[in-house]
Amino acid sequence: MHFLLWILIFIIIIVIAKFSLMNYNINQVFNGENKVVKGADESDSSDSSDELNIIFEYGEVKKGVNIDHRVAKNPPKIKYPATGKYYTIVMVDPDSPSHLNPIYREWRHWVVGNIPGDVLKMGLPVSGLEITSYQPPTPPLHEGKHRYYFKLYLQPDLINFELLNGPRQCWKSKEFAAKYNLEKITQKYFVSERLIEFRGRARVPVDTSSI
């Protein structure tokens, strides 16, 4: 009986140590101590604005919030005090397939151009030219936290964009912006991960803005 008890205690210690190490590595990545991820592209910068509102069905996303990926299964509304005529919104994952080995950076989740400024002002459903269809967050199981960035660009005018229907991985939002002379205005991100296979209803978001 005592032998089984000691085995159980040993297993518990191993599990706790494993998750502590995982959290330490994640904090290294998002605090800039891990050079594999930090500084690789503009998605790693923290230039975000409270004026950019990302609104899913459950509510608005705060910067750095950790959400159940299932609550983002449908495209969000985007609200911003736009003063320009047309805008482009881009959603990318710079941590694909994992934050420690982002060989598929950036993963292109959504691109919409020619969005009227009035649509953003009123926070209406995003309309314009869907350059890449919306793909919900799909963080791989046990691969840690993924950041999902929404980047807002000001267009010089109405643009005849080419549709992007090819592979989503290894995309470069910076090159895309340069090609069409887009001016980056601001960005905002949320975090999502999968530690287990979820069943049933989606969980409510948890604020992890201190990451």
Side-chain angles (χ1 to χ4, degrees):
M1 183 69 180
H2 285 84
F3 178 71
L4 293 176
L5 181 60
W6 279 110
I7 290 179
L8 180 60
I9 292 174
F10 178 75
I11 292 174
I12 292 174
I13 291 173
I14 292 297
V15 170
I16 292 175
K18 180 179 179 180
F19 278 96
S20 296
L21 180 61
M22 181 185 298
N23 287 332
Y24 173 73
N25 287 335
I26 289 171
N27 284 330
Q28 279 188 318
V29 169
F30 292 119
N31 288 329
E33 298 171 26
N34 191 310
K35 301 302 181 183
V36 173
V37 172
K38 203 67 179 177
D41 73 352
E42 64 176 20
S43 294
D44 291 315
S45 63
S46 58
D47 57 322
S48 63
S49 169
D50 290 334
E51 293 183 324
L52 178 63
N53 299 315
I54 312 300
I55 307 167
F56 286 103
E57 292 173 351
Y58 75 83
E60 181 184 341
V61 171
K62 294 181 180 179
K63 176 187 172 183
V65 70
N66 187 357
I67 72 172
D68 183 330
H69 65 280
R70 294 172 298 169
V71 305
K73 65 180 181 179
N74 296 317
K77 295 177 182 178
I78 310 294
K79 190 173 184 180
Y80 181 77
T83 56
K85 204 168 183 181
Y86 296 105
Y87 291 81
T88 295
I89 191 74
V90 166
M91 175 186 175
V92 292
D93 173 6
D95 301 318
S96 180
S98 73
H99 55 272
L100 293 178
N101 187 32
I103 59 174
Y104 297 144
R105 164 180 289 168
E106 298 168 297
W107 190 280
R108 190 178 71 251
H109 278 267
W110 194 33
V111 183
V112 184
N114 295 334
I115 305 170
D118 288 342
V119 169
L120 298 179
K121 271 185 184 180
M122 294 183 281
L124 300 174
V126 176
S127 61
L129 176 64
E130 191 170 60
I131 301 166
T132 294
S133 61
Y134 181 77
Q135 182 183 70
T138 51
L141 193 62
H142 304 310
E143 289 292 353
K145 288 182 171 69
H146 281 231
R147 292 164 296 167
Y148 294 90
Y149 275 84
F150 290 84
K151 303 180 182 185
L152 183 65
Y153 300 88
L154 175 64
Q155 298 180 194
D157 206 338
L158 200 65
I159 297 176
N160 185 23
F161 289 101
E162 296 179 13
L163 300 184
L164 297 173
N165 297 317
R168 292 175 182 257
Q169 70 271 22
C170 301
W171 190 61
K172 304 297 181 185
S173 59
K174 195 170 185 178
E175 293 179 5
F176 173 79
K179 178 180 178 179
Y180 291 106
N181 195 26
L182 305 177
E183 178 188 351
K184 186 179 176 187
I185 302 299
T186 187
Q187 64 181 16
K188 183 171 282 187
Y189 77 95
F190 65 83
V191 174
S192 189
E193 66 178 323
R194 277 201 303 162
L195 297 177
I196 60 173
E197 285 288 358
F198 295 125
R199 295 290 185 269
R201 298 176 60 185
R203 298 180 301 172
V204 296
V206 177
D207 190 355
T208 58
S209 55
S210 61
I211 289 178

